[in-house]
């Protein structure tokens, strides 16, 4: 993987392991496992972020629930086919992982992401009932071997006004944090299920080139 494709998608998250490791897939004898990480926000709220971890990076045997870690990697996506449509699945692909001690934890910002990519869908700008400005964008971030990750991002205030004027194909850099958001979805006539969406909450953005 080239240095450029490593640098255009950088994530650091620190928090508490909240689930056991669950097998995802294997490539050339290397096993990859999913685990949930609870990451605190500045408020009393928190985000639950899925990590994909190689069994060569971390001891995935037994339970590590409650242990505090820091993980560095990339925010990645893939399309999962469900019934008649594709669903975008997002997780942090971990490249480095380590246990945290109390001193390290104080020095760590628990949730940071930097993305360098291209607007691949017309931005959606809107106002909340309380008059707050929001814009949704979908960012395509190049990966090695001709692949791309498609990352939903949400902007607020003046970032929303700026994002709402962007055109498909524009090259932008984004700084922010990964957030999880629960929502309700109706299935059939009378069944409602809870689902979780993941997106980047943008704190800063700028056009490149």
């Amino acid at each position: 993987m080239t240095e450029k494709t490593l640098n255009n998608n950088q994530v650091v998250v620190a928090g508490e392991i909240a689930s056991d490791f669950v097998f995802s897939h294997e490539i050339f004898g290397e096993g990859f496992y999913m685990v949930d990480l609870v990451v605190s926000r500045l408020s009393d709220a928190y985000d639950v972020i899925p990590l994909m971890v190689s069994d060569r990076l971390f001891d995935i045997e037994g339970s590590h629930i409650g242990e505090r870690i820091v993980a560095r990697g990339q925010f990645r996506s893939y399309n999962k086919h469900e019934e008649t449509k594709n669903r975008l699945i997002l997780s942090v692909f971990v490249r480095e992982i380590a246990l945290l001690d109390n001193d390290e934890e104080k020095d760590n910002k628990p949730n940071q992401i930097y993305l360098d990519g291209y607007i691949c869908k017309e931005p959606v700008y809107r106002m909340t009932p309380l008059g707050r400005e929001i814009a949704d964008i979908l960012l395509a971030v190049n990966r090695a071997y001709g692949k791309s990750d498609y990352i939903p991002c949400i902007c607020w205030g003046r970032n929303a006004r700026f994002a709402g004027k962007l055109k498909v194909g524009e090259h932008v850099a984004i700084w922010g944090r990964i957030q999880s958001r629960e929502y309700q979805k109706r299935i059939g006539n009378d069944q409602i299920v809870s689902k979780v969406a993941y997106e980047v909450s943008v704190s800063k953005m700028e056009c490149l080139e």
Side-chain angles (χ1 to χ4, degrees), residues 30-49:
E30 183 175 8
F32 291 89
Y33 292 76
M34 301 300 301
V35 69
D36 288 335
L37 188 71
V38 173
V39 180
S40 298
R41 297 188 188 179
L42 292 176
S43 61
D44 291 334
Y46 59 86
D47 296 290
V48 181
I49 299 174

Side-chain angles (χ1 to χ4, degrees), residues 124-144:
V124 177
Y125 172 87
R126 64 193 192 279
M127 299 275 285
T128 70
L130 296 176
R132 194 173 186 192
E133 296 171 286
I134 303 177
D136 296 306
I137 61 175
L138 188 64
L139 199 68
V141 181
N142 291 335
R143 210 199 295 175

